Amino acid sequence: MTEPLVLINLFTLPPQALDPFVAGWPASTAGLAHAPGFRGTRLHRAVSPDSLYQIVNVAQWNSAEDWQAALSGFQPGGERRRQAEAGGFNSQPALYHVVSATPDPLPGQAGDGQTGASEPLTLINVFTLPEGAVDAFVAAWPANIAAQTHAPGFRGTRLHRAVSPDAPHQLVNIAHWDSAAAWEAATAGWRGSEERRGQADEHAPRAEPALYRVVSVTPDPLAATSTTQSTSQNVQPSQRNP
């Protein structure tokens, strides 16, 4: 089966709206969970209050057509509707393909506990590139991040490229780290060089990295079905209910 497309939706909200937005998210998006082609979603909240995008939703859909069909009939919940009407609310949804992936070297293991959560932190890095620079950036990506993939606390990364050339951000990297300290130690040199390059060249690629915690999860319904079928097949006849 073809790998699902990834929907990445970047939200900007006023600080006072963050808690109500997160609390109202499950009810607001409940209808999408039953839409054809929906493959799960994870809502992320920034660790730092200074991050540009305080909320990022990462979902998976079987196709662009499935997502657009679901979106055409989507009616946001009351809290989300009130925030949009009050102003200061903005979302930037776009569909992406995964173009480069480095797997988690420690699959199945929880984080180191420094984050206050049972799973690693999520790094979401939104790139803004000059026109025509995307192909070269993607080609150089594996070499550019090679050192990070062997760093303590690294838990895998996936670089996403927008399906549409009109998407506001053509590349988004989503990685996982055991802790903020691990990410900061591994990327200190890279972040410093990126800042210096941006100051010297206004046309250089711009990165907007931030760490997030997952605050709401709607699982892939097909994965749940597959697990149920597998469990059923493994039950002996004598164990089945009459």
Side-chain angles (χ1 to χ4, degrees):
M1 180 182 291
T2 303
E3 186 170 356
L5 294 176
V6 179
L7 169 70
I8 301 175
N9 199 349
L10 309 170
F11 291 96
T12 52
L13 301 92
Q16 67 273 16
L18 291 172
D19 288 339
F21 183 91
V22 172
W25 178 261
S28 178
T29 60
L32 294 178
H34 304 286
F38 174 78
R39 298 296 300 276
T41 185
R42 296 166 75 86
L43 188 70
H44 302 75
R45 183 170 181 171
V47 171
S48 169
D50 298 325
S51 298
L52 176 60
Y53 303 109
Q54 282 294 304
I55 300 290
V56 178
N57 182 45
V58 180
Q60 294 189 326
W61 290 86
N62 277 341
S63 69
E65 292 76 16
D66 285 332
W67 174 63
Q68 290 163 355
L71 196 62
S72 65
F74 174 60
Q75 295 293 329
E79 182 58 39
R80 185 164 170 182
R81 201 162 47 241
R82 283 192 294 272
Q83 290 166 0
E85 293 169 352
F89 173 93
N90 184 53
S91 66
Q92 298 180 38
L95 290 170
Y96 293 81
H97 292 292
V98 175
V99 292
S100 180
T102 302
D104 181 357
L106 301 171
Q109 294 191 24
D112 62 6
Q114 297 181 31
T115 65
S118 60
E119 64 178 61
L121 291 175
T122 300
L123 169 74
I124 300 177
N125 197 350
V126 179
F127 292 99
T128 303
L129 293 89
E131 187 176 356
V134 175
D135 288 340
F137 188 97
V138 171
W141 178 258
N144 286 341
I145 66 164
Q148 294 180 30
T149 63
H150 300 287
F154 173 78
R155 300 298 296 273
T157 185
R158 294 162 74 87
L159 182 66
H160 302 75
R161 181 171 185 170
V163 172
S164 170
D166 298 324
H169 303 287
Q170 285 296 300
L171 294 172
V172 178
N173 181 47
I174 300 179
H176 297 92
W177 291 84
D178 275 344
S179 67
W183 173 70
E184 290 167 355
T187 61
W190 171 81
R191 286 181 286 117
S193 65
E194 286 293 301
E195 183 176 353
R196 290 190 296 273
R197 184 168 62 168
Q199 292 171 346
D201 181 3
E202 63 179 9
H203 299 295
R206 306 282 175 164
E208 192 70 44
L211 290 170
Y212 294 81
R213 291 191 179 95
V214 176
V215 292
S216 181
V217 177
T218 303
D220 179 355
L222 295 186
T225 300
S226 175
T227 300
T228 301
Q229 291 175 343
S230 175
T231 301
S232 176
Q233 291 171 357
N234 290 333
V235 174
Q236 298 298 320
S238 60
Q239 296 175 303
R240 298 184 188 272
N241 291 327

